[in-house]
């Protein structure tokens, strides 16, 4: 027996909320990656790890916020806590491979493409592992062509976002890159959900539902699990907003630095004491000229 799947149990509320969370996680994570690329004095592993964790948490939170509106007519659903937590770990770990590759190998075409592929695969792996955490009186089946389309969307979105963040390094550029990435991430999620079909097993009467799941609803199950990642995204936002180079954009700093150096070079320095002759930094011709002048007198 086929179950009727509804991914919009709360209308547009869950898609809009998941999109905003995807944009937030992407913007914060991409800024952390750019921070590590442009400032060699910063603690690179720390910024890259924060970027990977922020992007991974954003993707994971986006997925399960969208799943709050997921319903299967006639049956109750639950989530396996271990697989749900594992999907978060996988998202951060696989995204971290791409992030650290860009951070240590530089923003070359080859590295950005490979990092985008890893990051996109991390998005897809998180989605389908999170779906595997579903517990219900039935089995999940997927249309392979639609699944392939969802994975392709994730890879293209991640690659494009990394390219944009590495090419345009201002804060507004990262924010702009996060907006289409948020569209692609939520689009990937709902494309993957469109590939889903549910085959129900046996009876789906109320006694079975109450005996196995009690009175739990998807909202009451998922919201407690979402508290930790949401708090982490808020704290990551605080860290980013208190870093002036992330707020103003490293590109702005790099453009103004040459101007400051040119302005300083245009003003001649006035020595406060007589210059020393025979300095190690003088050329031989200058040193010889200083020594031959007294002899002419």
């Amino acid at each position: 027996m086929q179950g009727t799947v509804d991914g919009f149990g709360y209308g547009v509320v869950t898609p809009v909320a998941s999109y905003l969370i995807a944009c937030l996680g992407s913007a914060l994570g991409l800024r952390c990656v750019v921070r590590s690329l442009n400032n060699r004095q910063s603690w690179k592993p720390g910024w890259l790890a924060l970027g990977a964790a922020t992007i991974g948490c954003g993707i994971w939170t986006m997925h399960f916020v969208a799943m709050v509106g997921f319903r299967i007519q006639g049956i109750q659903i639950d989530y396996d806590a271990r697989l749900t937590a594992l999907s978060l770990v996988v998202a951060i770990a696989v995204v971290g491979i791409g992030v650290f590759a860009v951070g240590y190998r530089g923003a070359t075409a080859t590295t950005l493409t490979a990092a985008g592929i890893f990051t996109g695969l991390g998005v897809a792996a998180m989605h389908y592992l999170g779906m595997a955490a579903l517990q219900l009186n039935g089995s999940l089946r997927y249309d392979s062509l639609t699944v392939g389309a969802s994975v392709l969307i994730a890879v293209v979105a991640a690659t494009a976002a990394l390219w944009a963040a590495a090419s345009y390094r201002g804060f507004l550029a990262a924010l702009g890159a996060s907006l289409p990435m948020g569209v692609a991430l939520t689009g990937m999620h709902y494309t993957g959900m469109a590939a889903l079909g549910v085959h129900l097993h046996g009876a789906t009467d109320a006694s079975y539902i109450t005996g196995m799941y009690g009175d739990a609803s998807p909202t009451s199950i998922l919201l407690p699990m979402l508290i930790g990642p949401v708090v982490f995204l808020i704290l990551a936002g605080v860290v980013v907003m208190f870093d002036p180079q992330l707020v103003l954009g490293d590109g702005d700093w790099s453009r103004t630095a040459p101007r400051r150096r040119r302005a300083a070079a245009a003003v001649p320095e006035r020595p406060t004491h007589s210059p020393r002759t025979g300095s190690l930094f003088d050329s031989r011709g200058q040193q010889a000229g200083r020594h031959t002048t007294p002899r002419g007198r």
Side-chain angles (χ1 to χ4, degrees):
M1 176 181 177
Q2 289 296 117
T4 302
V5 177
D6 179 16
F8 303 93
Y10 291 97
V12 298
V13 175
T14 49
V16 171
S18 60
Y19 168 72
L20 294 176
I21 291 174
C23 291
L24 174 63
S26 300
L28 295 177
L30 291 175
R31 290 306 297 151
C32 291
V33 175
V34 174
R35 176 69 160 81
S36 69
L37 288 174
N38 295 341
N39 190 343
R40 296 182 180 180
Q41 296 179 350
S42 64
W43 186 41
K44 179 172 290 194
W47 285 110
L48 292 175
L50 180 61
T54 304
I55 295 174
C57 278
I59 295 168
W60 186 90
T61 307
M62 173 276 298
H63 171 85
F64 284 102
V65 166
M67 291 301 292
V68 170
F70 177 74
R71 301 286 189 275
I72 301 176
Q73 185 177 354
I75 66 172
Q76 182 63 278
I77 59 176
D78 196 1
Y79 292 87
D80 183 273
R82 291 175 295 180
L83 283 179
T84 302
L86 180 61
S87 66
L88 175 59
V89 174
V90 168
I92 295 174
V94 181
V95 169
I97 295 174
V99 165
F100 273 81
V102 173
Y104 280 98
R105 296 183 63 86
T108 63
T110 303
T111 302
L112 286 173
T113 302
I117 293 173
F118 271 108
T119 304
L121 291 177
V123 175
M126 189 287 310
H127 174 85
Y128 290 105
L129 187 57
M131 293 302 296
L134 279 172
Q135 293 182 335
L136 66 156
N137 186 32
S139 58
L140 305 181
R141 298 176 179 179
Y142 293 96
D143 177 72
S144 58
L145 185 61
T146 311
V147 169
S150 68
V151 174
L152 181 62
I153 291 173
V155 170
V156 172
T159 305
L162 287 174
W163 273 86
S167 302
Y168 304 98
R169 299 179 180 181
F171 177 75
L172 293 179
L175 181 61
S178 70
L179 298 180
M181 186 172 181
V183 172
L185 290 175
T186 51
M188 178 269 161
H189 171 83
Y190 286 104
T191 301
M193 297 304 293
L196 176 66
V198 179
H199 181 75
L200 302 181
H201 297 162
T204 57
D205 58 6
S207 61
Y208 170 81
I209 297 172
T210 304
M212 184 173 182
Y213 301 107
D215 297 326
S217 66
T219 304
S220 62
I221 295 170
L222 291 175
L223 286 182
M225 293 190 293
L226 291 170
I227 292 175
V230 170
V231 170
F232 175 80
L233 289 174
I234 294 173
L235 294 177
V238 171
V239 171
V240 169
M241 295 308 295
F242 275 92
D243 186 275
Q245 290 190 359
L246 284 176
V247 176
L248 298 179
D250 295 314
D252 298 332
W253 285 89
S254 61
R255 284 194 296 269
T256 57
R259 278 186 240 148
R260 291 196 298 268
R261 288 195 294 267
R262 286 195 297 268
V267 179
E269 296 183 359
R270 297 181 179 179
T272 56
H273 54 81
S274 300
R276 294 176 295 177
T277 60
S279 171
L280 293 175
F281 297 100
D282 292 335
S283 63
R284 292 183 179 178
Q286 290 175 326
Q287 294 178 14
R290 293 192 184 111
H291 288 297
T292 56
T293 302
R295 295 194 189 103
R297 293 179 182 175

